Amino acid sequence: MPTFPGNSARAVADSQLRFNLRKATHTIRGKRAGVVAELPDWMELRAAGKAIKDHTLRNLDRYLLQLERSVTEAGGHVHWAADAAEANRIVADLIKATGETEVVKVKSIATQEIGLNEALREEGITAYETDLAELIVQLGDDWPSHILVPAIHRNRAEIREIFLNHMAEWGRPAPEGLSDDPRALAEAARLHLRERFLATKVAVSGANFMVAETGTMVVLESEGNGRMCLTLPETLISIVGIEKVVPTWRDLEVFLQLLPRSSTGERMNPYTSTWTGVTPGDGPKEFHLVLLDNGRTDVLADEVGRQALRCIRCSACLNVCPVYERAGGHAYGSVYPGPIGAILTPQLRGMASPLDASLPYASSLCGACYDVCPVAIDIPTVLVHLRAKAPHPTAERAGMRAASWALGRADRLARLQRLASRLRRLVPRRRLPGPGAAWTDTRDIPPIPAESFRDWWDRTEGGTR
Ligand code: SF4
């Protein structure tokens, strides 16, 4: 895939996309600001969220083992997956063991991260997305572009077209004469999904949190589709990143305040589903938890970068980011777009590809993401940290080595400054040649003075002569 600058150049040229993104992100960010301002102790809550996550990550081994014990005691089964291939294999085998070939899914970025739908398709299993935005993405053979609103790049006229053209391929067709009225679109999705919920015996979910003390999974959602997936099927498989564990229900309470206000701009979440193992006569008869590493322990080993694992996927950083607002989510080439994607993706996937190496530069370092982050992830600091680790072009490395040599000794620098002053008429005034040309596209080259400050100081004795 091309680098971030290449992808974003195409996105910026799409005026419809820019309009859709601006309208949606500004609406959500305004709602968030309003409900956050209502809480006088927001900063204390934020500090508590950060402290809980840091404590949990420092003791992750202990809490994961406690979680495993709790889930097992409650009648669930725990599986450990080191990477995407292992997670996909475990899930496919579990589904095959039920004899089913169809599953319904609750919105889950972890399953997108591991390419679960594609892996299941190879095994002859069809996964049906049930979140409205994910349904739009799936029917449109598209790719999510926002953590909270995966189809944020689509407007309602486009959604109507997708429903009319593709719903029938996946089940109940869209009603004839469907309009682009939001209520009509929601009703079409509801009718389409209801049949699927009632007919499917296996569900796949992620989880926003896992409570170690009781082995409880927690899913927050706004449409009720998650509740249907989590209660109706006979078998439930949850794939969850290992960083999603919290020690106790008391800790969970902090995040149940932070997350809805930061994500949808609501005071509390419309549907908060919790389940602990299995309960005879109530809900799924079988529950499997797949604990996913897939690069997370590598992130944990980085003292600066590990704070990215505090993320609760609220998407507040996306909604305030001036780069995301113009480039959109697809430019990041990952299921994690925006500022959090710019620090998480290169850590999870490494920076071997040009795209992943370009992501730490997908930011103006304005710091708006840090200000709104409910768990105080210092995204600008991590970006700078990753830029230092990213592979750099040969010309840039040579330039930095030359600068290091020139700035390493005062007498050497003084001699070079004198030389530069003498040769200053040869320096281009507008555009540097070669690899520096792009840098001067949007910057002026400062004029080289006839005399350096040091020489002026020596000559005038600090301006006294
Ligand atoms: S980095 Fe912070 S603001 Fe961004 S999605 Fe994660 S928790 Fe939310």
Side-chain angles (χ1 to χ4, degrees), residues 195-255:
E195 287 189 1
R196 186 63 58 200
F197 288 131
L198 295 173
T200 311
K201 294 194 164 49
V202 181
V204 172
S205 84
N208 296 92
F209 305 99
M210 307 182 283
V211 184
E213 67 176 348
T214 54
T216 303
M217 305 292 116
V218 185
V219 162
L220 280 73
E221 42 110 11
S222 301
E223 298 167 14
N225 66 301
R227 182 70 55 86
M228 304 280 254
C229 288
L230 300 168
T231 52
L232 289 176
E234 291 172 5
T235 301
L236 174 58
I237 305 166
S238 301
I239 303 133
V240 190
I242 52 175
E243 81 282 17
K244 295 293 177 70
V245 66
V246 294
T248 66
W249 279 80
R250 198 172 164 181
D251 299 319
L252 178 67
E253 176 248 357
V254 172
F255 297 107

Side-chain angles (χ1 to χ4, degrees), residues 299-321:
V299 182
L300 194 57
D302 186 317
E303 287 184 16
V304 178
R306 68 172 61 139
Q307 57 186 302
L309 296 178
R310 292 205 295 263
C311 178
I312 55 173
R313 311 278 190 264
C314 70
S315 76
C317 57
L318 279 67
N319 299 328
V320 296
C321 178

Side-chain angles (χ1 to χ4, degrees), residues 351-423:
M351 287 189 273
S353 77
L355 169 66
D356 293 337
S358 71
L359 289 177
Y361 296 90
S363 168
S364 64
L365 300 180
C366 70
C369 48
Y370 177 40
D371 290 344
V372 298
C373 179
V375 284
I377 299 173
D378 188 350
I379 293 176
T381 294
V382 181
L383 285 167
V384 173
H385 172 69
L386 293 175
R387 286 179 188 187
K389 295 172 85 176
H392 292 266
T394 313
E396 187 184 331
R397 274 188 281 127
M400 288 298 163
R401 266 202 300 275
S404 166
W405 179 81
L407 296 166
R409 272 186 27 202
D411 60 332
R412 189 184 291 151
L413 179 63
R415 279 202 301 281
L416 286 168
Q417 283 173 328
R418 265 176 231 127
L419 181 66
S421 293
R422 273 189 218 118
L423 300 177

